[in-house]
Short mmCIF file of all heavy atoms in Angstrom, two decimals:
data_model
loop_
_atom_site.label_atom_id
_atom_site.label_comp_id
_atom_site.label_asym_id
_atom_site.label_seq_id
_atom_site.Cartn_x
_atom_site.Cartn_y
_atom_site.Cartn_z
N MET Z 204 21.43 -22.69 10.58
CA MET Z 204 20.53 -23.01 9.48
C MET Z 204 21.32 -23.59 8.33
O MET Z 204 20.98 -24.63 7.80
CB MET Z 204 19.80 -21.74 9.07
CG MET Z 204 18.85 -21.94 7.92
SD MET Z 204 17.41 -22.84 8.44
CE MET Z 204 16.52 -22.96 6.94
N LYS Z 205 22.40 -22.92 7.91
CA LYS Z 205 23.21 -23.39 6.79
C LYS Z 205 23.82 -24.75 7.10
O LYS Z 205 23.89 -25.61 6.26
CB LYS Z 205 24.31 -22.37 6.50
CG LYS Z 205 25.12 -22.69 5.27
CD LYS Z 205 26.09 -21.57 5.00
CE LYS Z 205 26.92 -21.87 3.78
NZ LYS Z 205 27.91 -20.83 3.54
N LYS Z 206 24.23 -24.94 8.34
CA LYS Z 206 24.83 -26.21 8.75
C LYS Z 206 23.83 -27.34 8.58
O LYS Z 206 24.18 -28.43 8.13
CB LYS Z 206 25.28 -26.11 10.19
CG LYS Z 206 25.93 -27.34 10.73
CD LYS Z 206 27.39 -27.10 10.92
CE LYS Z 206 28.00 -28.30 11.64
NZ LYS Z 206 29.08 -28.84 10.91
N ASN Z 207 22.56 -27.09 8.90
CA ASN Z 207 21.54 -28.13 8.77
C ASN Z 207 21.35 -28.53 7.33
O ASN Z 207 21.15 -29.69 7.03
CB ASN Z 207 20.22 -27.65 9.36
CG ASN Z 207 20.29 -27.53 10.86
OD1 ASN Z 207 21.14 -28.14 11.48
ND2 ASN Z 207 19.42 -26.72 11.43
N ILE Z 208 21.39 -27.59 6.40
CA ILE Z 208 21.23 -27.90 4.98
C ILE Z 208 22.39 -28.76 4.50
O ILE Z 208 22.22 -29.74 3.81
CB ILE Z 208 21.13 -26.61 4.14
CG1 ILE Z 208 19.84 -25.87 4.48
CG2 ILE Z 208 21.20 -26.92 2.67
CD1 ILE Z 208 19.75 -24.50 3.86
N ILE Z 209 23.59 -28.42 4.88
CA ILE Z 209 24.77 -29.15 4.44
C ILE Z 209 24.79 -30.55 5.03
O ILE Z 209 25.17 -31.50 4.37
CB ILE Z 209 26.06 -28.38 4.81
CG1 ILE Z 209 26.13 -27.11 3.97
CG2 ILE Z 209 27.29 -29.23 4.59
CD1 ILE Z 209 27.24 -26.19 4.35
N ASP Z 210 24.35 -30.69 6.27
CA ASP Z 210 24.38 -31.99 6.92
C ASP Z 210 23.30 -32.93 6.40
O ASP Z 210 23.37 -34.13 6.61
CB ASP Z 210 24.22 -31.83 8.43
CG ASP Z 210 25.48 -31.27 9.05
OD1 ASP Z 210 26.53 -31.30 8.38
OD2 ASP Z 210 25.42 -30.80 10.19
N SER Z 211 22.30 -32.40 5.71
CA SER Z 211 21.23 -33.27 5.24
C SER Z 211 21.73 -34.20 4.15
O SER Z 211 22.71 -33.93 3.47
CB SER Z 211 20.06 -32.44 4.72
OG SER Z 211 20.39 -31.84 3.49
N LYS Z 212 21.04 -35.30 3.97
CA LYS Z 212 21.43 -36.31 2.99
C LYS Z 212 21.18 -35.82 1.56
O LYS Z 212 21.72 -36.36 0.62
CB LYS Z 212 20.65 -37.59 3.24
CG LYS Z 212 20.90 -38.20 4.59
CD LYS Z 212 22.21 -38.92 4.63
CE LYS Z 212 22.36 -39.61 5.97
NZ LYS Z 212 23.73 -39.81 6.32
N GLU Z 213 20.32 -34.79 1.38
CA GLU Z 213 19.95 -34.35 0.05
C GLU Z 213 21.06 -33.56 -0.64
O GLU Z 213 21.09 -33.47 -1.85
CB GLU Z 213 18.68 -33.50 0.11
CG GLU Z 213 17.47 -34.29 0.56
CD GLU Z 213 16.24 -33.41 0.65
OE1 GLU Z 213 16.24 -32.35 0.01
OE2 GLU Z 213 15.33 -33.80 1.35
N VAL Z 214 21.95 -32.93 0.12
CA VAL Z 214 23.01 -32.11 -0.47
C VAL Z 214 24.35 -32.80 -0.26
O VAL Z 214 24.89 -32.79 0.84
CB VAL Z 214 23.03 -30.71 0.17
CG1 VAL Z 214 24.15 -29.88 -0.43
CG2 VAL Z 214 21.70 -30.03 0.01
N PRO Z 215 24.90 -33.43 -1.30
CA PRO Z 215 26.21 -34.06 -1.14
C PRO Z 215 27.31 -33.00 -1.11
O PRO Z 215 27.21 -31.98 -1.77
CB PRO Z 215 26.31 -34.92 -2.40
CG PRO Z 215 25.46 -34.22 -3.41
CD PRO Z 215 24.34 -33.60 -2.64
N GLN Z 216 28.33 -33.23 -0.31
CA GLN Z 216 29.43 -32.27 -0.20
C GLN Z 216 30.47 -32.60 -1.26
O GLN Z 216 31.48 -33.24 -0.98
CB GLN Z 216 30.02 -32.32 1.20
CG GLN Z 216 29.04 -31.87 2.25
CD GLN Z 216 29.66 -31.80 3.63
OE1 GLN Z 216 30.87 -31.69 3.78
NE2 GLN Z 216 28.83 -31.85 4.65
N ILE Z 217 30.22 -32.17 -2.48
CA ILE Z 217 31.12 -32.45 -3.60
C ILE Z 217 31.55 -31.15 -4.27
O ILE Z 217 30.89 -30.13 -4.15
CB ILE Z 217 30.45 -33.38 -4.64
CG1 ILE Z 217 29.15 -32.77 -5.16
CG2 ILE Z 217 30.21 -34.76 -4.03
CD1 ILE Z 217 28.49 -33.55 -6.25
N CYS Z 218 32.67 -31.22 -4.99
CA CYS Z 218 33.24 -30.02 -5.62
C CYS Z 218 32.29 -29.40 -6.65
O CYS Z 218 32.34 -28.19 -6.88
CB CYS Z 218 34.55 -30.38 -6.30
SG CYS Z 218 35.84 -30.88 -5.16
N ALA Z 219 31.44 -30.19 -7.26
CA ALA Z 219 30.54 -29.68 -8.30
C ALA Z 219 29.60 -28.61 -7.77
O ALA Z 219 29.14 -27.76 -8.54
CB ALA Z 219 29.75 -30.83 -8.91
N ILE Z 220 29.28 -28.61 -6.47
CA ILE Z 220 28.37 -27.60 -5.92
C ILE Z 220 29.04 -26.77 -4.83
O ILE Z 220 28.37 -26.18 -3.99
CB ILE Z 220 27.08 -28.25 -5.38
CG1 ILE Z 220 27.38 -29.30 -4.32
CG2 ILE Z 220 26.26 -28.84 -6.51
CD1 ILE Z 220 26.14 -29.78 -3.61
N CYS Z 221 30.36 -26.69 -4.87
CA CYS Z 221 31.11 -25.90 -3.89
C CYS Z 221 31.32 -24.49 -4.43
O CYS Z 221 31.53 -24.29 -5.63
CB CYS Z 221 32.45 -26.57 -3.61
SG CYS Z 221 33.50 -25.64 -2.47
N SER Z 222 31.30 -23.51 -3.54
CA SER Z 222 31.45 -22.12 -3.98
C SER Z 222 32.87 -21.81 -4.45
O SER Z 222 33.07 -20.83 -5.17
CB SER Z 222 31.08 -21.17 -2.84
OG SER Z 222 31.95 -21.34 -1.75
N PHE Z 223 33.85 -22.63 -4.09
CA PHE Z 223 35.23 -22.39 -4.51
C PHE Z 223 35.56 -23.04 -5.85
O PHE Z 223 36.62 -22.81 -6.41
CB PHE Z 223 36.22 -22.91 -3.46
CG PHE Z 223 36.09 -22.21 -2.13
CD1 PHE Z 223 35.66 -22.89 -1.02
CD2 PHE Z 223 36.40 -20.87 -2.00
CE1 PHE Z 223 35.53 -22.25 0.20
CE2 PHE Z 223 36.28 -20.22 -0.80
CZ PHE Z 223 35.84 -20.91 0.32
N GLY Z 224 34.66 -23.84 -6.37
CA GLY Z 224 34.93 -24.57 -7.60
C GLY Z 224 34.27 -23.95 -8.81
O GLY Z 224 33.19 -23.39 -8.72
N THR Z 225 34.93 -24.06 -9.97
CA THR Z 225 34.39 -23.62 -11.25
C THR Z 225 34.56 -24.76 -12.25
O THR Z 225 35.65 -25.32 -12.37
CB THR Z 225 35.13 -22.38 -11.77
OG1 THR Z 225 35.07 -21.36 -10.79
CG2 THR Z 225 34.52 -21.88 -13.06
N GLU Z 226 33.50 -25.10 -12.94
CA GLU Z 226 33.56 -26.21 -13.89
C GLU Z 226 34.48 -25.87 -15.05
O GLU Z 226 34.44 -24.76 -15.59
CB GLU Z 226 32.16 -26.54 -14.40
CG GLU Z 226 32.13 -27.79 -15.25
CD GLU Z 226 30.72 -28.16 -15.65
OE1 GLU Z 226 29.80 -27.38 -15.38
OE2 GLU Z 226 30.55 -29.23 -16.25
N LEU Z 227 35.33 -26.82 -15.46
CA LEU Z 227 36.21 -26.62 -16.61
C LEU Z 227 35.37 -26.54 -17.89
O LEU Z 227 34.25 -27.04 -17.95
CB LEU Z 227 37.21 -27.78 -16.71
CG LEU Z 227 38.19 -27.90 -15.55
CD1 LEU Z 227 39.06 -29.14 -15.74
CD2 LEU Z 227 39.07 -26.66 -15.45
N ALA Z 228 35.94 -25.93 -18.92
CA ALA Z 228 35.20 -25.70 -20.16
C ALA Z 228 34.73 -27.00 -20.80
O ALA Z 228 33.65 -27.07 -21.37
CB ALA Z 228 36.05 -24.92 -21.14
N ASP Z 229 35.55 -28.06 -20.69
CA ASP Z 229 35.16 -29.34 -21.30
C ASP Z 229 34.31 -30.19 -20.36
O ASP Z 229 33.90 -31.29 -20.73
CB ASP Z 229 36.39 -30.11 -21.75
CG ASP Z 229 37.32 -30.46 -20.61
OD1 ASP Z 229 37.03 -30.06 -19.46
OD2 ASP Z 229 38.34 -31.12 -20.86
N GLY Z 230 34.04 -29.72 -19.17
CA GLY Z 230 33.18 -30.43 -18.23
C GLY Z 230 33.80 -31.64 -17.58
O GLY Z 230 33.12 -32.40 -16.91
N SER Z 231 35.12 -31.82 -17.75
CA SER Z 231 35.77 -33.02 -17.21
C SER Z 231 36.21 -32.86 -15.76
O SER Z 231 36.59 -33.85 -15.13
CB SER Z 231 36.99 -33.37 -18.05
OG SER Z 231 37.95 -32.33 -17.97
N GLY Z 232 36.18 -31.66 -15.22
CA GLY Z 232 36.64 -31.48 -13.85
C GLY Z 232 36.24 -30.13 -13.30
O GLY Z 232 35.51 -29.38 -13.92
N ILE Z 233 36.76 -29.85 -12.10
CA ILE Z 233 36.46 -28.61 -11.40
C ILE Z 233 37.77 -27.90 -11.10
O ILE Z 233 38.72 -28.53 -10.63
CB ILE Z 233 35.72 -28.90 -10.07
CG1 ILE Z 233 34.43 -29.68 -10.32
CG2 ILE Z 233 35.45 -27.63 -9.30
CD1 ILE Z 233 33.36 -28.91 -11.05
N LEU Z 234 37.83 -26.62 -11.40
CA LEU Z 234 39.00 -25.82 -11.01
C LEU Z 234 38.70 -25.16 -9.68
O LEU Z 234 37.81 -24.31 -9.58
CB LEU Z 234 39.31 -24.76 -12.08
CG LEU Z 234 40.48 -23.84 -11.77
CD1 LEU Z 234 41.77 -24.64 -11.59
CD2 LEU Z 234 40.64 -22.80 -12.85
N CYS Z 235 39.42 -25.57 -8.66
CA CYS Z 235 39.18 -25.10 -7.29
C CYS Z 235 40.14 -23.96 -6.96
O CYS Z 235 41.32 -24.02 -7.30
CB CYS Z 235 39.37 -26.26 -6.31
SG CYS Z 235 39.28 -25.74 -4.59
N LYS Z 236 39.63 -22.93 -6.30
CA LYS Z 236 40.47 -21.80 -5.87
C LYS Z 236 41.43 -22.21 -4.76
O LYS Z 236 42.46 -21.58 -4.55
CB LYS Z 236 39.60 -20.65 -5.37
CG LYS Z 236 38.78 -19.99 -6.44
CD LYS Z 236 37.91 -18.90 -5.83
CE LYS Z 236 37.00 -18.30 -6.88
NZ LYS Z 236 36.06 -17.33 -6.31
N LYS Z 237 41.09 -23.27 -4.04
CA LYS Z 237 41.89 -23.69 -2.89
C LYS Z 237 42.89 -24.78 -3.24
O LYS Z 237 44.02 -24.77 -2.76
CB LYS Z 237 40.97 -24.22 -1.78
CG LYS Z 237 39.94 -23.25 -1.28
CD LYS Z 237 40.54 -22.26 -0.34
CE LYS Z 237 39.46 -21.37 0.26
NZ LYS Z 237 40.02 -20.35 1.12
N THR Z 238 42.48 -25.75 -4.07
CA THR Z 238 43.32 -26.93 -4.27
C THR Z 238 43.67 -27.26 -5.71
O THR Z 238 44.36 -28.23 -5.95
CB THR Z 238 42.63 -28.16 -3.66
OG1 THR Z 238 41.39 -28.37 -4.32
CG2 THR Z 238 42.39 -27.98 -2.17
N GLY Z 239 43.18 -26.51 -6.68
CA GLY Z 239 43.52 -26.79 -8.07
C GLY Z 239 42.47 -27.61 -8.77
O GLY Z 239 41.29 -27.52 -8.46
N ILE Z 240 42.89 -28.43 -9.73
CA ILE Z 240 41.93 -29.21 -10.52
C ILE Z 240 41.52 -30.46 -9.75
O ILE Z 240 42.36 -31.19 -9.23
CB ILE Z 240 42.55 -29.58 -11.88
CG1 ILE Z 240 42.80 -28.31 -12.68
CG2 ILE Z 240 41.64 -30.53 -12.65
CD1 ILE Z 240 43.46 -28.53 -14.01
N ARG Z 241 40.20 -30.68 -9.69
CA ARG Z 241 39.63 -31.82 -8.96
C ARG Z 241 38.58 -32.50 -9.82
O ARG Z 241 38.08 -31.94 -10.78
CB ARG Z 241 38.94 -31.32 -7.68
CG ARG Z 241 39.77 -30.46 -6.78
CD ARG Z 241 40.75 -31.25 -6.01
NE ARG Z 241 40.05 -32.14 -5.09
CZ ARG Z 241 40.43 -32.37 -3.86
NH1 ARG Z 241 41.50 -31.79 -3.39
NH2 ARG Z 241 39.76 -33.20 -3.09
N LYS Z 242 38.24 -33.71 -9.43
CA LYS Z 242 37.11 -34.40 -10.05
C LYS Z 242 35.82 -33.79 -9.50
O LYS Z 242 35.78 -33.36 -8.35
CB LYS Z 242 37.15 -35.90 -9.74
CG LYS Z 242 38.29 -36.62 -10.41
CD LYS Z 242 38.24 -38.09 -10.08
CE LYS Z 242 39.38 -38.81 -10.75
NZ LYS Z 242 39.44 -40.23 -10.36
N PRO Z 243 34.74 -33.78 -10.30
CA PRO Z 243 33.49 -33.17 -9.83
C PRO Z 243 32.92 -33.81 -8.56
O PRO Z 243 32.25 -33.15 -7.78
CB PRO Z 243 32.53 -33.36 -11.00
CG PRO Z 243 33.41 -33.51 -12.19
CD PRO Z 243 34.66 -34.19 -11.71
N ASP Z 244 33.19 -35.10 -8.34
CA ASP Z 244 32.61 -35.78 -7.19
C ASP Z 244 33.55 -35.87 -6.00
O ASP Z 244 33.24 -36.53 -5.02
CB ASP Z 244 32.11 -37.17 -7.58
CG ASP Z 244 33.23 -38.04 -8.13
OD1 ASP Z 244 34.31 -37.49 -8.45
OD2 ASP Z 244 33.02 -39.25 -8.24
N SER Z 245 34.70 -35.20 -6.06
CA SER Z 245 35.60 -35.23 -4.91
C SER Z 245 35.19 -34.14 -3.91
O SER Z 245 34.33 -33.31 -4.20
CB SER Z 245 37.05 -35.04 -5.35
OG SER Z 245 37.22 -33.79 -5.96
N THR Z 246 35.81 -34.12 -2.76
CA THR Z 246 35.46 -33.17 -1.71
C THR Z 246 36.66 -32.89 -0.82
O THR Z 246 37.71 -33.53 -0.96
CB THR Z 246 34.29 -33.71 -0.87
OG1 THR Z 246 33.84 -32.68 0.01
CG2 THR Z 246 34.72 -34.92 -0.04
N CYS Z 247 36.54 -31.92 0.05
CA CYS Z 247 37.57 -31.64 1.04
C CYS Z 247 36.91 -30.93 2.22
O CYS Z 247 35.72 -30.61 2.18
CB CYS Z 247 38.70 -30.79 0.46
SG CYS Z 247 38.33 -29.05 0.32
N LYS Z 248 37.69 -30.65 3.26
CA LYS Z 248 37.12 -30.06 4.47
C LYS Z 248 36.79 -28.57 4.31
O LYS Z 248 36.16 -27.98 5.16
CB LYS Z 248 38.05 -30.26 5.66
CG LYS Z 248 39.39 -29.57 5.53
CD LYS Z 248 40.27 -29.86 6.73
CE LYS Z 248 41.61 -29.16 6.58
NZ LYS Z 248 42.50 -29.44 7.70
N LYS Z 249 37.21 -27.95 3.19
CA LYS Z 249 36.92 -26.53 2.96
C LYS Z 249 35.62 -26.33 2.17
O LYS Z 249 35.31 -25.22 1.76
CB LYS Z 249 38.07 -25.89 2.20
CG LYS Z 249 39.35 -25.87 3.00
CD LYS Z 249 40.51 -25.38 2.18
CE LYS Z 249 41.79 -25.47 2.98
NZ LYS Z 249 42.98 -25.37 2.16
N PHE Z 250 34.88 -27.39 1.96
CA PHE Z 250 33.64 -27.32 1.18
C PHE Z 250 32.72 -26.23 1.71
O PHE Z 250 32.52 -26.09 2.91
CB PHE Z 250 32.92 -28.67 1.25
CG PHE Z 250 31.56 -28.65 0.61
CD1 PHE Z 250 31.43 -28.79 -0.75
CD2 PHE Z 250 30.42 -28.47 1.37
CE1 PHE Z 250 30.18 -28.77 -1.35
CE2 PHE Z 250 29.17 -28.44 0.79
CZ PHE Z 250 29.05 -28.59 -0.58
N GLU Z 251 32.18 -25.43 0.76
CA GLU Z 251 31.21 -24.40 1.11
C GLU Z 251 30.08 -24.50 0.09
O GLU Z 251 30.30 -24.29 -1.10
CB GLU Z 251 31.86 -23.03 1.08
CG GLU Z 251 31.00 -21.93 1.64
CD GLU Z 251 31.74 -20.61 1.71
OE1 GLU Z 251 32.70 -20.50 2.51
OE2 GLU Z 251 31.39 -19.70 0.95
N TYR Z 252 28.90 -24.77 0.57
CA TYR Z 252 27.76 -25.03 -0.31
C TYR Z 252 27.35 -23.78 -1.08
O TYR Z 252 27.18 -22.72 -0.50
CB TYR Z 252 26.59 -25.54 0.53
CG TYR Z 252 25.33 -25.81 -0.24
CD1 TYR Z 252 25.35 -26.59 -1.38
CD2 TYR Z 252 24.12 -25.28 0.17
CE1 TYR Z 252 24.18 -26.85 -2.09
CE2 TYR Z 252 22.95 -25.53 -0.53
CZ TYR Z 252 22.99 -26.32 -1.66
OH TYR Z 252 21.85 -26.56 -2.36
N ASP Z 253 27.20 -23.92 -2.41
CA ASP Z 253 26.68 -22.84 -3.26
C ASP Z 253 25.36 -23.33 -3.86
O ASP Z 253 25.35 -24.13 -4.78
CB ASP Z 253 27.68 -22.53 -4.37
CG ASP Z 253 27.23 -21.35 -5.22
OD1 ASP Z 253 26.08 -20.88 -5.03
OD2 ASP Z 253 28.01 -20.88 -6.05
N PRO Z 254 24.23 -22.85 -3.34
CA PRO Z 254 22.94 -23.37 -3.80
C PRO Z 254 22.67 -23.09 -5.28
O PRO Z 254 21.88 -23.79 -5.90
CB PRO Z 254 21.92 -22.67 -2.91
CG PRO Z 254 22.64 -21.58 -2.23
CD PRO Z 254 24.10 -21.87 -2.27
N LEU Z 255 23.32 -22.09 -5.87
CA LEU Z 255 23.08 -21.78 -7.28
C LEU Z 255 23.71 -22.80 -8.22
O LEU Z 255 23.39 -22.85 -9.40
CB LEU Z 255 23.59 -20.38 -7.62
CG LEU Z 255 22.91 -19.24 -6.86
CD1 LEU Z 255 23.53 -17.92 -7.25
CD2 LEU Z 255 21.42 -19.23 -7.15
N LYS Z 256 24.61 -23.62 -7.72
CA LYS Z 256 25.26 -24.64 -8.56
C LYS Z 256 24.54 -25.99 -8.50
O LYS Z 256 24.86 -26.89 -9.27
CB LYS Z 256 26.72 -24.83 -8.14
CG LYS Z 256 27.57 -23.62 -8.45
CD LYS Z 256 29.00 -23.84 -8.08
CE LYS Z 256 29.82 -22.60 -8.42
NZ LYS Z 256 31.20 -22.73 -7.95
N ARG Z 257 23.59 -26.13 -7.60
CA ARG Z 257 22.88 -27.40 -7.48
C ARG Z 257 21.92 -27.57 -8.66
O ARG Z 257 21.23 -26.64 -9.04
CB ARG Z 257 22.09 -27.45 -6.17
CG ARG Z 257 21.42 -28.76 -5.91
CD ARG Z 257 20.66 -28.71 -4.61
NE ARG Z 257 19.54 -27.80 -4.67
CZ ARG Z 257 18.32 -28.14 -5.07
NH1 ARG Z 257 18.06 -29.37 -5.44
NH2 ARG Z 257 17.35 -27.24 -5.09
N VAL Z 258 21.92 -28.75 -9.25
CA VAL Z 258 20.99 -29.06 -10.33
C VAL Z 258 19.77 -29.72 -9.70
O VAL Z 258 19.88 -30.80 -9.12
CB VAL Z 258 21.63 -30.01 -11.36
CG1 VAL Z 258 20.63 -30.36 -12.45
CG2 VAL Z 258 22.88 -29.37 -11.94
N PRO Z 259 18.61 -29.07 -9.75
CA PRO Z 259 17.43 -29.63 -9.09
C PRO Z 259 16.95 -30.90 -9.77
O PRO Z 259 17.19 -31.12 -10.95
CB PRO Z 259 16.38 -28.52 -9.20
CG PRO Z 259 16.85 -27.64 -10.28
CD PRO Z 259 18.33 -27.79 -10.40
N ARG Z 260 16.28 -31.72 -8.96
CA ARG Z 260 15.70 -32.95 -9.53
C ARG Z 260 14.63 -32.59 -10.53
O ARG Z 260 13.98 -31.56 -10.43
CB ARG Z 260 15.10 -33.79 -8.41
CG ARG Z 260 16.14 -34.53 -7.59
CD ARG Z 260 15.47 -35.35 -6.55
NE ARG Z 260 15.16 -34.47 -5.41
CZ ARG Z 260 14.36 -34.76 -4.43
NH1 ARG Z 260 13.74 -35.91 -4.40
NH2 ARG Z 260 14.15 -33.91 -3.46
N ARG Z 261 14.46 -33.46 -11.51
CA ARG Z 261 13.42 -33.23 -12.51
C ARG Z 261 12.05 -33.40 -11.88
O ARG Z 261 11.87 -34.19 -10.95
CB ARG Z 261 13.58 -34.20 -13.67
CG ARG Z 261 14.87 -34.00 -14.42
CD ARG Z 261 14.98 -34.93 -15.58
NE ARG Z 261 13.96 -34.60 -16.57
CZ ARG Z 261 13.65 -35.37 -17.60
NH1 ARG Z 261 14.27 -36.51 -17.77
NH2 ARG Z 261 12.73 -35.01 -18.46
N ASP Z 262 11.07 -32.67 -12.40
CA ASP Z 262 9.70 -32.81 -11.93
C ASP Z 262 9.18 -34.20 -12.28
O ASP Z 262 9.51 -34.74 -13.34
CB ASP Z 262 8.80 -31.76 -12.57
CG ASP Z 262 9.10 -30.37 -12.05
OD1 ASP Z 262 9.67 -30.27 -10.95
OD2 ASP Z 262 8.77 -29.39 -12.74
N PRO Z 263 8.37 -34.79 -11.42
CA PRO Z 263 7.80 -36.09 -11.75
C PRO Z 263 6.85 -35.98 -12.93
O PRO Z 263 6.20 -34.96 -13.14
CB PRO Z 263 7.06 -36.50 -10.47
CG PRO Z 263 6.80 -35.23 -9.76
CD PRO Z 263 7.92 -34.30 -10.12
N VAL Z 264 6.76 -37.06 -13.69
CA VAL Z 264 5.85 -37.08 -14.84
C VAL Z 264 4.43 -37.26 -14.32
O VAL Z 264 4.14 -38.20 -13.57
CB VAL Z 264 6.22 -38.23 -15.78
CG1 VAL Z 264 5.24 -38.31 -16.94
CG2 VAL Z 264 7.64 -38.05 -16.29
N ILE Z 265 3.56 -36.35 -14.70
CA ILE Z 265 2.17 -36.42 -14.26
C ILE Z 265 1.37 -37.20 -15.30
O ILE Z 265 1.35 -36.83 -16.47
CB ILE Z 265 1.58 -35.02 -14.07
CG1 ILE Z 265 2.38 -34.27 -13.01
CG2 ILE Z 265 0.11 -35.09 -13.69
CD1 ILE Z 265 2.02 -32.82 -12.85
N PRO Z 266 0.70 -38.27 -14.88
CA PRO Z 266 -0.08 -39.05 -15.85
C PRO Z 266 -1.29 -38.27 -16.35
O PRO Z 266 -1.79 -37.38 -15.67
CB PRO Z 266 -0.50 -40.29 -15.05
CG PRO Z 266 -0.38 -39.90 -13.63
CD PRO Z 266 0.65 -38.84 -13.54
N ASN Z 267 -1.73 -38.62 -17.53
CA ASN Z 267 -2.92 -37.96 -18.08
C ASN Z 267 -4.17 -38.60 -17.49
O ASN Z 267 -4.42 -39.78 -17.68
CB ASN Z 267 -2.93 -38.11 -19.60
CG ASN Z 267 -1.84 -37.30 -20.24
OD1 ASN Z 267 -1.45 -36.25 -19.73
ND2 ASN Z 267 -1.30 -37.79 -21.34
N PHE Z 268 -4.95 -37.81 -16.75
CA PHE Z 268 -6.18 -38.30 -16.15
C PHE Z 268 -7.35 -37.99 -17.07
O PHE Z 268 -7.33 -37.02 -17.81
CB PHE Z 268 -6.42 -37.65 -14.79
CG PHE Z 268 -5.43 -38.07 -13.74
CD1 PHE Z 268 -4.46 -37.19 -13.28
CD2 PHE Z 268 -5.46 -39.35 -13.22
CE1 PHE Z 268 -3.54 -37.59 -12.32
CE2 PHE Z 268 -4.55 -39.75 -12.26
CZ PHE Z 268 -3.58 -38.87 -11.81
N THR Z 269 -8.35 -38.81 -16.98
CA THR Z 269 -9.58 -38.56 -17.72
C THR Z 269 -10.71 -38.35 -16.71
O THR Z 269 -10.53 -38.58 -15.50
CB THR Z 269 -9.95 -39.76 -18.63
OG1 THR Z 269 -10.15 -40.89 -17.80
CG2 THR Z 269 -8.82 -40.03 -19.63
N ALA Z 270 -11.87 -37.93 -17.19
CA ALA Z 270 -13.01 -37.71 -16.30
C ALA Z 270 -13.44 -39.01 -15.64
O ALA Z 270 -13.92 -39.01 -14.50
CB ALA Z 270 -14.16 -37.11 -17.10
N GLU Z 271 -13.21 -40.14 -16.29
CA GLU Z 271 -13.58 -41.44 -15.71
C GLU Z 271 -12.76 -41.77 -14.46
O GLU Z 271 -13.22 -42.47 -13.57
CB GLU Z 271 -13.40 -42.54 -16.74
CG GLU Z 271 -14.34 -42.43 -17.92
CD GLU Z 271 -14.02 -43.46 -18.99
OE1 GLU Z 271 -13.11 -44.28 -18.78
OE2 GLU Z 271 -14.69 -43.44 -20.03
N ASP Z 272 -11.57 -41.26 -14.39
CA ASP Z 272 -10.73 -41.51 -13.22
C ASP Z 272 -11.30 -40.88 -11.95
O ASP Z 272 -11.01 -41.33 -10.84
CB ASP Z 272 -9.32 -40.96 -13.45
CG ASP Z 272 -8.60 -41.71 -14.54
OD1 ASP Z 272 -8.87 -42.93 -14.69
OD2 ASP Z 272 -7.76 -41.10 -15.24
N PHE Z 273 -12.11 -39.84 -12.10
CA PHE Z 273 -12.66 -39.14 -10.94
C PHE Z 273 -14.14 -39.47 -10.71
O PHE Z 273 -14.76 -38.92 -9.82
CB PHE Z 273 -12.48 -37.63 -11.11
CG PHE Z 273 -11.03 -37.24 -11.21
CD1 PHE Z 273 -10.44 -37.00 -12.44
CD2 PHE Z 273 -10.25 -37.15 -10.07
CE1 PHE Z 273 -9.09 -36.65 -12.53
CE2 PHE Z 273 -8.91 -36.80 -10.15
CZ PHE Z 273 -8.32 -36.57 -11.39
N ALA Z 274 -14.69 -40.33 -11.52
CA ALA Z 274 -16.11 -40.70 -11.38
C ALA Z 274 -16.26 -41.75 -10.29
O ALA Z 274 -15.40 -42.60 -10.10
CB ALA Z 274 -16.65 -41.21 -12.70
N LEU Z 275 -17.39 -41.68 -9.56
CA LEU Z 275 -17.67 -42.68 -8.53
C LEU Z 275 -18.52 -43.80 -9.07
O LEU Z 275 -19.27 -43.71 -9.96
CB LEU Z 275 -18.40 -42.01 -7.35
CG LEU Z 275 -17.56 -41.00 -6.59
CD1 LEU Z 275 -18.41 -40.36 -5.50
CD2 LEU Z 275 -16.34 -41.65 -5.96
S1 SF4 X 379 38.43 -29.14 -3.27
FE1 SF4 X 379 37.27 -28.46 -1.48
S2 SF4 X 379 37.21 -26.22 -1.62
FE2 SF4 X 379 37.82 -26.99 -3.63
S3 SF4 X 379 35.90 -27.14 -4.80
FE3 SF4 X 379 36.26 -29.15 -3.85
S4 SF4 X 379 35.15 -29.10 -1.89
FE4 SF4 X 379 35.37 -26.98 -2.61
#
C-alpha cells in the first residue's frame, strides 16, 4: 500500500517530505539525519515518505451562483 502511494505521480520523492529531513530555521534547506544539509527538492534512495510534511493543494475557488443559474 505504502509503495503504491510513493510510486504515484502525486507524491514527489523529495527531501521536503521525507521522514529523515527537518527544515532549517531559515527555510533555505533540509537537515537530513542520513546525509546532512540538502536542498528541499533533492532526493536519495533512502527516501521515506512522511505524509504529515506534505502541503496539500489549495481548495478550488467556488464561484458565486445565483438562483438564475439553476432556473430552467
Ligand atoms: S537525503 Fe534522502 S534520506 Fe535525507 S531527507 Fe533527502 S530523501 Fe530523505
